[in-house]
Amino acid sequence: MRLSRYFLPVLKETPAEAQIVSHRLMLRAGMIKQASAGIYSWLPLGYRVLRNIEQIVHEEQVRAGHIPMLMPTLQSADLWKESGRYDAYGPEMLRIRDRQDRDMLYGPTNEEMITDIFRSHVGSYKDLPLTLYHIQWKFRDEIRPRFGVMRGREFLMKDGYNFDLTKEDALHAYNRHLVSYLRTYERMGLQAIPMRADSGPIGGDDTHEFLVLAETGESEVFYDSEITDLKFGDRAIDYDDVAQCQAVLEEFTSRYARTDETHDDAEFAKVPADRQRTARGIEVGQIFYFGTKYSEAMGATVADSEGNKVPVHMGSHGIGVSRLLGAIIEASHDDNGIIWPEGVTPFHCGIVNLKQGDEEADAACEALYNSFMAIGLEPLYDDRNERAGGKFATMDLIGLPWRITVGPRGLKNGVVELTSRRTGESEELPPEQAIAKVAGIYGKATT
Ligand code: P5A
């Protein structure tokens, strides 16, 4: 993308309404614009990151054997009356009446709708196990929407639902989700710690929240510091392997880690004093096992091997896709702006032309641009007729992890400058070596 033709409405001033750094930076970098309280338009740069995050979530869900689909945002109240949650959900639910006077709602979650789909089409234990998911907008009329996309009213969630014959099978689904979430967050450059939590309006006793530690987090958390040494890494996982998934779950959940909802002073006191930590965290996901709560209420049964009709065991699992943008920025920024992890960056690198209009500099930038595009990497080329300082400030603000600076002086010596946004370190390299280095970082081959 050439910046002269892009839509990147960066703000010079710090917006007064934004209380936390991620919100400020998303506004300043021209990623989002508030439409009304807790509801945002995703401007092109923000939209690219949102799509990248979604893509990682999809890939890791499919890897775990889960099946993508799409349900609507608007739901009929009838299903919610069946489960009993129409009244129980309270004022957070946005209720709508259509022209036929039918009660509708903008879905805050989809347990009822998926259970209805299941009961309409599945009748035998032979069709199990089954996990379906979608990535869809939700609406919760939060009392205090704040911090930008972090606590929105309209927000994007990946929500998945498992259907199993037995509690044991459903607990494997729970473990499988926990493992796949660890991988998902790590690919976004985040450490998200599974913590014992409270199930709230979703229900059930087994639940973990995934928290990214950050001073601006809304949850107070208590944990054993050993937990932050754990890395999932690139270990090979067979998601059908019950014992392997169980072992990973135990590895990541055996140490003390709880949100304030489930915190227990006596248990916490058993953690060696030098390892006790109290901090704040951003909840980027939550997984639940709630057994037959919805299947019993809504008659979602299957015939077991003896022909008896039994309610299915279920759980649901959510990732806050739009909230993740805020969480990643909270975890990765400096005074000059955002620092995107390579896994989610909106453009793979930036190209800054120090002297637009200089024949050689222009040609070198074009050549770099085309070489990157040819190997499947997309740079953002700042081809505007602006001062170098302004170009650097924009690049730093929008946080592309790598920047290539091209100017007549370097070109005389056959080099360009490659700069890491994270470390600020620069090196001078011939253009083809700079391309090869960036390509290598993204796992692309140059031929
Ligand atoms: C699990 C999937 C559920 O709704 N039903 C379907 C279950 N869980 S949850 O914990 O309530 O939400 C899942 C994740 O969505 C994000 N989230 C939000 N993001 C932005 N703004 C909000 N107002 C908001 N509310 C929830 C969180 O990341 C949460 O973990």
Side-chain angles (χ1 to χ4, degrees):
M1 179 57 64
R2 288 171 167 77
L3 193 44
S4 63
R5 298 188 197 165
Y6 200 43
F7 181 64
L8 184 71
V10 299
L11 306 179
K12 291 227 167 57
E13 305 299 320
T14 299
E17 76 269 26
Q19 299 164 34
I20 61 170
V21 67
S22 58
H23 189 194
R24 275 198 296 276
L25 289 174
M26 286 182 80
L27 291 170
R28 282 191 51 212
M31 297 176 67
I32 51 169
K33 178 175 187 324
Q34 183 174 305
S36 38
I39 303 179
Y40 291 87
S41 293
W42 294 80
L43 306 182
L45 192 76
Y47 183 59
R48 284 184 80 104
V49 181
L50 188 69
R51 283 284 171 256
N52 290 344
I53 290 174
E54 260 189 274
Q55 182 60 28
I56 292 176
V57 172
H58 272 302
E59 284 173 15
E60 293 307 325
Q61 285 301 301
V62 170
R63 195 196 299 275
H66 307 156
I67 305 169
M69 61 177 296
L70 187 60
M71 289 176 270
T73 53
L74 293 185
Q75 306 187 19
S76 157
D78 293 345
L79 289 175
W80 290 70
K81 288 175 183 162
E82 275 190 64
S83 73
R85 282 207 294 181
Y86 190 60
D87 295 326
Y89 219 95
E92 257 193 30
M93 178 185 277
L94 181 65
R95 294 152 211 261
I96 304 162
R97 187 154 294 160
D98 72 9
R99 67 199 296 167
Q100 317 285 358
D101 251 2
R102 277 186 293 247
D103 287 327
M104 310 284 292
L105 55 102
Y106 194 127
T109 176
N110 286 60
E111 279 80 6
E112 284 76 0
M113 189 174 277
I114 198 82
T115 305
D116 179 54
I117 291 170
F118 181 88
R119 71 180 172 186
S120 305
H121 297 290
V122 183
S124 164
Y125 75 98
K126 289 181 190 154
D127 298 322
L128 305 183
L130 179 65
T131 297
L132 299 166
Y133 79 92
H134 71 163
I135 298 181
Q136 178 60 292
W137 294 93
K138 304 288 184 286
F139 195 94
R140 294 183 184 173
D141 205 349
E142 302 275 352
I143 233 177
R144 223 181 316 130
R146 56 179 185 164
F147 302 163
V149 300
M150 209 73 105
R151 178 165 296 281
R153 293 198 298 161
E154 188 184 51
F155 61 96
L156 191 59
M157 190 201 288
K158 170 259 147 182
D159 42 324
Y161 306 86
N162 68 287
F163 301 90
D164 288 277
L165 181 61
T166 63
K167 174 171 184 180
E168 199 188 358
D169 292 347
L171 289 177
H172 172 56
Y174 185 90
N175 300 350
R176 203 173 59 228
H177 277 88
L178 187 133
V179 176
S180 72
Y181 279 23
L182 291 170
R183 239 190 110 101
T184 303
Y185 297 121
E186 272 196 24
R187 280 189 61 187
M188 299 172 190
L190 284 178
Q191 180 170 42
I193 305 172
M195 301 199 180
R196 282 261 291 280
D198 183 61
S199 68
I202 307 291
D205 299 327
D206 291 273
T207 183
H208 281 91
E209 281 180 6
F210 287 77
L211 287 116
V212 172
L213 299 177
E215 278 165 29
T216 48
E218 291 190 285
S219 320
E220 187 170 29
V221 298
F222 303 82
Y223 62 96
D224 177 340
S225 66
E226 274 192 358
I227 269 178
T228 52
D229 299 333
L230 296 173
K231 294 273 174 309
F232 186 78
D234 55 2
R235 49 179 112 179
I237 287 283
D238 173 357
Y239 282 104
D240 290 332
D241 186 330
V242 172
Q244 199 184 17
C245 290
Q246 177 72 32
V248 174
L249 175 122
E250 276 164 19
E251 178 185 346
F252 281 84
T253 62
S254 58
R255 292 174 186 77
Y256 191 96
R258 298 193 191 182
T259 64
D260 50 2
E261 296 158 343
T262 57
H263 176 61
D264 177 332
D265 278 326
E267 286 295 312
F268 194 45
K270 294 179 190 162
V271 177
D274 61 326
R275 297 199 329 235
Q276 291 176 11
R277 297 284 184 282
T278 306
R280 302 201 68 83
I282 302 166
E283 180 203 327
V284 291
Q286 187 164 5
I287 56 176
F288 302 83
Y289 164 72
F290 42 68
T292 56
K293 171 175 170 176
Y294 298 90
S295 55
E296 277 192 54
M298 298 180 63
T301 58
V302 291
D304 67 13
S305 58
E306 270 131 40
N308 304 316
K309 281 195 162 185
V310 293
V312 286
H313 286 260
M314 293 173 59
S316 70
H317 322 91
I319 292 181
V321 173
S322 49
R323 174 178 287 182
L324 273 164
L325 276 96
I328 292 169
I329 296 172
E330 289 296 325
S332 185
H333 66 269
D334 64 15
D335 290 346
N336 297 327
I338 303 166
I339 306 174
W340 291 115
E342 273 90 0
V344 302
T345 184
F347 294 96
H348 296 98
C349 64
I351 300 173
V352 170
N353 189 343
L354 291 178
K355 199 163 185 202
Q356 206 68 43
D358 176 89
E359 209 171 305
E360 260 186 77
D362 289 2
C365 287
E366 289 294 330
L368 276 167
Y369 186 83
N370 292 330
S371 303
F372 277 119
M373 293 298 276
I375 55 171
L377 294 179
E378 192 170 358
L380 181 67
Y381 169 25
D382 192 344
D383 59 343
R384 297 171 306 161
N385 222 337
E386 293 252 337
R387 285 181 308 108
K391 290 188 175 187
F392 290 145
T394 300
M395 283 293 173
D396 282 352
L397 174 64
I398 69 172
L400 309 183
W402 298 94
R403 187 186 79 208
I404 298 179
T405 310
V406 180
R409 207 176 311 153
L411 287 175
K412 279 213 178 68
N413 303 317
V415 294
V416 296
E417 189 185 54
L418 177 65
T419 307
S420 157
R421 175 69 182 83
R422 188 167 295 279
T423 66
E425 282 164 21
S426 293
E427 55 182 327
E428 295 199 325
L429 297 167
E432 32 323 328
Q433 278 181 33
I435 295 167
K437 181 152 181 192
V438 174
I441 288 159
Y442 290 103
K444 301 275 183 191
T446 45
T447 41

